Amino acid sequence: MRMSIKKYQNTNMTHVEQADPHTLISLIMQHILGNLAAAKGALDRKDIENKNKLLGKVMGLIGELQDSLDMEKGGEISRHLYDLYAYMISQVTKANIKNDSSFLTEVGTLINEIKSAWDAIPANIRQQYDR
C-alpha cells in the first residue's frame, strides 16, 4: 500500500481505519469536495484566513491523490491523472490568488467526474488492486 494512503488511513476517523485502498481514495475525493464547498463559502464571506486554510487542505488532498498513483502499473492513465491533478492544484492556486470561485467550481466538477468513475468500478475489479 502506498505511503500516502497509509498516512490517510492512520487518521483518527474510525470509518477510515478499516477501509480498503479503493474506499480511502473515494474518501479523499469526498473530503476535497467538502473543503472546496467550504472554501467557496469562506470566499463569499471574505473570510480570507479560513479560505487559505481550506484551500491548503484541498491542495494537500489532491497531492495525496497524486502520491497514490502507481506510475508503473497505471501507465498512461496514471500519467494523465497526475497531470490533471497538477492542473487542479494550479486552478486552486489561481482561485486563492484571484479570490475567484469559478476556478474552484471547475476543480469540483473534475473531482466529481473522477469520483463517479472511481466509485463505479465493480467490486471484483477493486479487489484485484487492493492487494
Side-chain angles (χ1 to χ4, degrees), residues 13-15 18 31-32 42 44-45 49 62 74-75 118 120 122 128 131:
M13 297 184 297
T14 56
H15 63 282
Q18 303 301 320
H31 284 281
I32 291 169
D44 290 344
R45 294 187 308 277
E49 183 178 338
I62 294 171
W118 184 257
Q128 292 176 18
R131 296 179 181 132

Side-chain angles (χ1 to χ4, degrees), residues 3 7 11 13 26 29 31-33 38 40 47 54 61 67 76-77 90 95 99 103 114-115 119 125 127:
M3 288 302 294
K7 184 170 81 174
T11 64
M13 297 184 297
S26 186
M29 288 188 240
H31 284 281
I32 291 169
L33 293 170
K40 283 182 184 180
D47 180 354
L54 291 162
L61 289 168
D67 290 345
E76 190 175 336
I77 292 173
S90 76
N99 289 316
F103 296 105
I114 294 168
K115 186 176 184 321
D119 291 343
I125 302 296
Q127 292 169 352

